[in-house]
Amino acid sequence: AQDGFVELAAFQKTHFDQVLVNLDADADYRWTIEAGWDLDRWWEVSTDVERQRMVAALGTGRLVLTAGYASLHTTTAGHEELTRNVYWASRFARTHGIPLRTWITDDVPGTSFAVPEILKRSGIEFFVGGMNTPFGGRVTQPDHGDRPFWWTGPDGSAVLSWITFDSYAEAFD
């Protein structure tokens, strides 16, 4: 398992380095960092100059960091674990003066009803769900025409939300 972790961390370094090159090469290029863990791995092995370049790119809005540390199976995570999942990106955004507005749950079967409360209380405005339809089933509600929608949690907290019907592959259509 440790070898896989080392390989994945090394991939994150080369991957994010290439994202920064792409941002410099193409003014229309955009990228979203879906999980803070990925940036955390890159940050650990990058130079101060590379880190400054990353923060500058995050400040432009063409490169975006989302609020979750990991794309969790939120229906199996407790309230405390979900809350702590926002800590790393929130601290990073505050420290570096970058916006943190969106939580993405991608490639998982679904999302817990507790998420709107956690996001709202954390100052996160938007939720995007790219559900893994082979494992979680096809999303049928809200209807295609009802997106985006305000997802309201049991406590009344609401976040503007978008849920894909065909997993994250929806963007290709």
Side-chain angles (χ1 to χ4, degrees):
Q2 184 63 24
D3 288 342
F5 175 83
V6 170
E7 288 177 25
L8 184 55
F11 171 78
Q12 290 304 342
K13 174 65 175 144
T14 58
H15 179 69
F16 284 166
D17 286 349
Q18 185 61 53
V19 166
L20 292 174
V21 168
N22 294 349
L23 285 165
D24 289 343
D26 183 351
D28 292 328
Y29 186 83
R30 305 286 186 272
W31 192 260
T32 300
I33 301 172
E34 292 182 17
W37 184 91
D38 301 333
L39 181 58
D40 196 11
R41 299 293 68 76
W42 180 90
W43 197 264
E44 286 178 339
V45 295
S46 295
T47 67
D48 287 341
V49 170
E50 290 170 325
R51 290 177 187 151
Q52 291 170 1
R53 187 172 169 213
M54 176 66 74
V55 170
L58 287 164
T60 67
R62 293 176 49 220
L63 179 63
V64 175
L65 173 64
T66 64
Y69 191 70
S71 195
L72 299 174
H73 283 255
T74 64
T75 54
T76 61
H79 203 81
E80 182 69 18
E81 187 176 11
L82 291 172
T83 301
R84 289 178 181 265
N85 195 37
V86 179
Y87 285 5
W88 188 90
S90 295
R91 197 169 33 250
F92 185 91
R94 263 192 323 275
T95 300
H96 299 289
I98 61 166
L100 187 67
R101 303 179 64 200
T102 304
W103 165 301
I104 291 180
T105 299
D106 213 358
D107 205 23
V108 297
T111 303
S112 166
F113 65 87
V115 167
E117 174 188 353
I118 291 163
L119 298 184
K120 186 70 172 183
R121 291 177 186 235
S122 299
I124 308 302
E125 303 168 80
F126 308 113
F127 168 81
V128 176
M131 305 312 163
N132 187 315
T133 53
F135 294 108
R138 188 173 176 85
V139 175
T140 59
Q141 294 294 322
D143 196 357
H144 282 280
D146 296 330
R147 299 177 300 165
F149 64 97
W150 288 101
W151 184 13
T152 304
D155 74 335
S157 295
V159 291
L160 191 59
S161 301
W162 182 273
I163 294 179
T164 64
F165 285 86
D166 296 307
S167 189
Y168 48 83
E170 182 177 74
F172 293 115
D173 295 330

